[in-house]
Amino acid sequence: MLTTAFFSTAKSFTSIFGADFVAFDLQMKCSLLAGSGIFSAIFIHLQQLVKLNKIILICKRRLRVAVATCNRADYSKLAPIMFGLKSHPEEFELEVVVLGSHLIDDYGNTFRMIEQDDFDIGSKLHTIVRGEDEAAMVESVGLALVKLPDVLQRLRPDILIVHGDRFDALALATAAALMNIRILHLEGGEVRSGTIDDSIRHAISKLAHYHACCTRRAEQYLIAMCEDHSRILLTGCPSYDKLLSTHHKEDYKDIIKAWIGDSVQAQDYIVALQHPVTTDIQHSIKIYGLMLDALLSFNKKTLILFPNIDAGSKEMVRVMRKKGIEQHPNFRAVKHIPFEQFIQLVCHAGCMIGNSSCGVREAGAFGTPVINLGTRQTGRETGENVLHVRDADTHNKIYHALELQFGKRYPCSNIYGDGNAVPRILKFLRAIDLDDPLQKTFCFPTVRDSISQDIDHILETQSALSVDLGGTNLRVAIISMKGKIVEKYTQPNPKTFEARMQLIVKMCLDAMRDAITFNCRILGVGVSTGGRVNPQEGVVLHSTKLIQEWSSIDLRTPISGALHLPVWVDNDGNCAALAERKFGHGKGVENFVTIITGTGIGGGIIHNSELIHGSTFCAAELGHIMVSLDGPECSCGSRGCLEAYASGMALQREAKRLHDEDLLKVEGMDMKLSEPITAAHLINAARLGNSKADAILNRAYTALGVGVVNILHTMNPSLVILSGVLASYYQDPVQKIINERALFSAQSIKVVTSDLEEPALLGAASMVLDYTTRRQY
């Protein structure tokens, strides 16, 4: 009957040859047309009509999508997508592949929950080699790679959906990529803490052709990893589609009663789930034991789930059994809980503890307080509900974290999704053109890091050791993240290199010892010194005349070797600019110049938020900008430099000259015979009407103002910051000269004086704080 109907359809086409085009909608696959007998003949005839431009064949067929799930965790993310695909049978043909720990009794035989969700499992692959150590993981990947080609060859999916960062998923992606099967990767671009999971996740991203990522930062990381932006979709996490709909269900009391006990109330119990860190198994086992000790001491009802199948899980289970957790009246230890019930338990818990991704992802949607232990999740984006305990020697720190978190409620976070991930993914799948090539394009955007809470941020103050090498004094300070000088130490600067280095190390060691008393954690050492510095190598190339025996000196190596801390070194003028960028008027300003008006004149230039050093590290030697060809001699050997006109040394020299000529002192000026003549005497004399002193200061003001105008016309900063003891005297005159002599477009640039008390020390500290706090400790 089918043959007759089809033959009749074909005959109707031959009766309208006169038409230019005829639409013919084939409701079955083209491959069936070329089967046998009359179907083959009709197909050949229709092909001839196409060649004659008499007919268009439109082949409508469903997109065949294979979804591969390896464990209970990834199924919670994949199940919403599977339900979405299943609800559109006219568009998608769903194939389900199950492998990994789903099929192992010790881990709950969780494939049964897939069957209970009424999915047909087309392929079950036993791919796990038992042993729960590193070698077993490698062998499991190999076994999966042996078995997967036959399955993929049989299914021939148009696209394979793979989730996350598991070793099983790596085998799936490897096999599919080598067989030219398109891969859609879920949760690419996310970062944990440098464990093997991160490496696997990024390896899968590089094998995948399309990406459905959960956060804006993950999207940016994928772009930075060279992935094509047009093939990246920011969807949110698919599990949020389900958990947000179950958030307000009223059966949570029955679920709590079933899993924890009759008398337990909402927010009066703890959910614990800790997995091994495969790159540091022994440490993760230690943290696991300390967590159990803290939970035992905390004495609250606790639902604890067994760890996953990663290397180290057997040892963790042994620790749990050695402590009698399974028999303890406060604990309920289980291998698996259905996702909908588990998420209700997390939602209404007084606290969740461990290192499961659920704690930093799903728990945030409910505002459940979370304690994240160890390093497994520290790179992940989190809401304010997550408190990190990266390391602990006793269970006391974890116990203290429980005291801080238990029973709190935080604002709900939507970092990982808004509940509409599946519709976005289905729309993305519909848009895939199977005729498109699979080649990738590349781009490298910048990515900003986020800051998360940390138990050590609460218990300790992250700080830097700051060293300032002046011509007279050597100063060391402990400086906190907020720029507070916790403690400062001052000693006369020795004249010889050896004595100076010994004193620096001694003062730093003393400060580190005191830092413990002040509850400060020292992250590194920043050194500010006069002269030309190569900050990349930590070497003083040429110093000022005030600091003897201080050229071609490697400061980084001996200080770092003695203190076992990272060390940064830079010129004192550059440090002043860095201090303004982090703590002063330059905070948030992309382009500005700092000019130090002290004994000498120096400074630093910030351009596009970065410090300029120059090709030979002598950028921003602002004191040696020449404003006259035949001016006074400068300490650098040239003439007419700013420093020769406007520095403290220059004003002191002129004050002494007037004093020697008996032209300095005027009526009302208090001046003791024994005191040394300084720039302050010159300024005071000018204020009291000394015309000679006033003329010298006017010349200094003018020279500095002209130099600043030159800087404005060269760098075009948006702000000029004057620092040093003479800054307040120079501010108004310099602003006036800018208004008179600068180009119209630069006349609006403001001159301000620094509010910072110790710019050299603060700038040296900022080198440490800005760099080290980008990393997690």
Side-chain angles (χ1 to χ4, degrees), residues 259-260 270 272 291-304 320 323-334:
W259 288 100
I260 304 176
I270 297 169
M291 177 191 75
L292 296 178
D293 290 339
L295 290 169
L296 287 166
S297 300
F298 201 67
N299 198 31
K300 286 288 182 182
K301 288 288 186 180
T302 301
L303 176 70
I304 185 166
M320 182 173 71
K323 293 181 183 292
I325 296 299
E326 290 171 291
Q327 291 76 40
H328 196 283
N330 271 354
F331 287 81
R332 172 80 189 279
V334 296

Side-chain angles (χ1 to χ4, degrees), residues 37-96:
I38 192 68
F39 278 41
S40 178
I42 294 171
F43 184 62
I44 293 170
H45 185 56
L46 293 177
Q47 284 181 318
Q48 291 172 343
L49 295 179
V50 171
K51 291 178 181 178
L52 293 171
N53 289 332
K54 295 296 183 180
I55 185 170
I56 296 176
L57 295 178
I58 305 173
C59 297
K60 288 185 178 178
R61 70 176 183 85
R62 297 180 295 171
L63 187 72
R64 178 172 286 190
V65 182
V67 178
T69 174
C70 310
N71 55 65
R72 65 191 182 197
D74 75 19
Y75 181 66
S76 68
K77 317 293 173 62
L78 294 168
I81 302 173
M82 294 162 65
F83 280 114
L85 293 168
K86 189 177 179 181
S87 66
H88 294 83
E90 75 285 356
E91 296 180 276
F92 303 106
E93 183 178 351
L94 174 63
E95 295 287 350
V96 181

Side-chain angles (χ1 to χ4, degrees), residues 185-192 201 211-224 229 232-238 240 357 360-362 379-383 413-418 421 424-425 447-450:
H185 184 208
L186 300 182
E187 296 187 11
E190 294 185 22
V191 177
R192 288 186 175 182
R201 183 188 302 271
H211 308 274
C213 56
C214 299
T215 70
R216 181 70 62 185
R217 192 178 80 171
E219 178 188 36
Q220 292 299 308
Y221 279 157
L222 283 169
I223 294 171
H229 189 279
I232 301 170
L233 179 66
L234 177 58
T235 63
C237 183
Y240 269 55
S357 62
V360 298
R361 296 169 65 92
E362 285 83 356
R380 279 261 173 87
E381 293 174 84
T382 69
S413 166
N414 63 351
I415 292 174
Y416 286 95
D418 59 4
R424 294 186 184 109
I425 291 171
V447 179
R448 295 184 181 274
D449 288 326
S450 65

Side-chain angles (χ1 to χ4, degrees), residues 2 56 61 66 124 166 260 268 274 323 353 384 438 480 501 529 682 713 723 733:
L2 178 62
I56 296 176
R61 70 176 183 85
K124 293 180 183 175
R166 306 288 303 145
I260 304 176
D268 197 36
Q274 178 92 348
K323 293 181 183 292
I353 188 170
E384 59 184 284
L438 299 184
S480 72
M501 288 304 304
T529 181
L682 186 73
H713 292 170
S723 180

